[in-house]
Amino acid sequence: MAGPKQRVEQQPAWVLHTHPWRETSLIVEAWSRDHGRIALVAKGARRPHSQMRGVLMAFQPLSMDWSGGGEVKTLARAEWLGGQPLLTGRALICGYYLNELLVRLTAREDPHPQLFSAYAEAVRALGRGESESPILRRFELALLQELGYEAGLAIEADGGNAVRPEGRYLYIIERGPVRLETLEQEGATVDAAALGDQPLLSGQTLLDMAADDFSRAETLAQSKQLLRMLINHTLGGQPLQSRRVLKELQEL
């Protein structure tokens, strides 16, 4: 059942994905500041002289107008805001990874203004040629926090004590950071076989992540393992196409 008809104007947005629709149009999956992820039909956008033809590009900041009351709105206008270099090479694949995460893990028309800002900063940083790993880790962390993983990285799950820099921790899903000593006191056997894919984390890594500091090599490596575990859990184990492509590139 269609909802009330709405008209949205001059909405900051980014294109996440497009695919052809009918002979001359596109379905656009857009990421907007105030309306979250939106499905839009861009009528006639594939025609040679369409004003939208060269505008609806991924990783470029846009201003959009749309209207409609159903699940798929009608795109009325898209204007390029400029100032963003085209992504190429590994940065482009990393951008597709960000887009795939948003498409897979956010609900339609569920606004996340802070995550919108985190995405915009990530794309801009990729365009500036900054180191890709810290960019991805910051965005993954922002995404997971928006999805409800609010357990404080700097606070131990049991007792509410501050994480100790010299401590060794496991991050238990739905619980938070737990010191190995606590698990051993509970009778858990913590060895390589028991850990499986669960990363062993230093307290300093957790404190660095909470402080948005990815300058230490150990923090970067351990945060990648932790965030991958949490994202895989959120995805229900379903693989990401962009992650597979990036892995294949690294093996060339």
Side-chain angles (χ1 to χ4, degrees):
M1 182 176 177
K5 208 164 185 181
Q6 61 173 325
R7 172 83 181 185
V8 175
E9 296 183 341
Q10 298 183 346
Q11 177 67 200
W14 301 78
V15 170
L16 298 177
H17 179 68
T18 65
H19 63 266
W21 185 68
R22 296 185 176 173
E23 291 186 5
T24 62
S25 301
L26 287 172
I27 297 293
V28 180
E29 201 78 38
W31 177 238
S32 70
R33 185 188 64 195
D34 301 324
H35 300 267
R37 187 164 59 87
I38 297 286
L40 304 165
V41 57
K43 294 180 179 178
R46 296 165 61 206
R47 290 183 179 135
H49 302 295
S50 169
Q51 292 182 341
M52 294 186 191
R53 185 178 176 91
V55 175
L56 296 174
M57 299 172 59
F59 316 119
Q60 294 297 311
L62 304 176
S63 173
M64 290 183 169
D65 299 352
W66 67 78
S67 63
E71 182 180 0
V72 181
K73 322 295 185 190
T74 299
L75 182 62
R77 183 192 65 93
E79 177 186 354
W80 179 57
L81 298 180
Q84 171 66 34
L86 294 175
L87 300 188
T88 59
R90 282 178 53 88
L92 181 61
I93 302 301
C94 289
Y96 282 128
Y97 172 67
L98 302 182
N99 286 4
E100 190 173 6
L101 286 178
L102 288 175
V103 169
R104 297 278 294 276
L105 293 178
T106 62
R108 286 251 177 90
E109 300 188 53
D110 184 13
H112 293 281
Q114 289 183 317
L115 187 56
F116 180 88
S117 296
Y119 175 84
E121 177 51 37
V123 173
R124 292 186 181 113
L126 289 171
R128 292 191 295 264
E130 296 180 14
S131 178
E132 292 143 8
S133 292
I135 295 170
L136 298 184
R137 302 297 82 80
R138 287 190 176 98
F139 181 78
E140 289 167 341
L141 189 54
L143 173 62
L144 288 166
Q145 288 171 339
E146 286 288 313
L147 294 177
Y149 283 89
E150 294 293 347
L153 292 166
I155 304 297
E156 292 182 355
D158 301 306
N161 297 317
V163 163
R164 304 176 189 180
E166 73 284 358
R168 295 186 303 158
Y169 291 83
L170 291 180
Y171 190 99
I172 309 297
I173 293 174
E174 313 297 349
R175 188 171 170 186
V178 181
R179 271 195 302 140
L180 286 191
E181 292 86 346
T182 302
L183 290 171
E184 288 164 351
Q185 288 168 7
E186 293 173 354
T189 302
V190 182
D191 55 23
L195 287 175
D197 294 331
Q198 193 162 11
L200 185 61
L201 308 164
S202 72
Q204 188 60 56
T205 288
L206 291 166
L207 293 171
D208 287 346
M209 291 175 69
D212 192 34
D213 181 358
F214 293 89
S215 57
R216 294 171 66 247
E218 183 183 64
T219 296
L220 207 52
Q222 291 183 354
S223 63
K224 178 179 180 178
Q225 292 179 296
L226 171 60
L227 293 169
R228 176 162 295 187
M229 179 190 78
L230 293 174
I231 285 172
N232 286 344
H233 172 75
T234 309
L235 287 166
Q238 294 298 310
L240 290 168
Q241 179 73 8
S242 52
R243 189 182 283 171
R244 182 188 63 79
V245 171
L246 193 56
K247 183 178 179 182
E248 288 178 356
L249 283 176
Q250 291 170 339
E251 293 172 351
L252 290 177

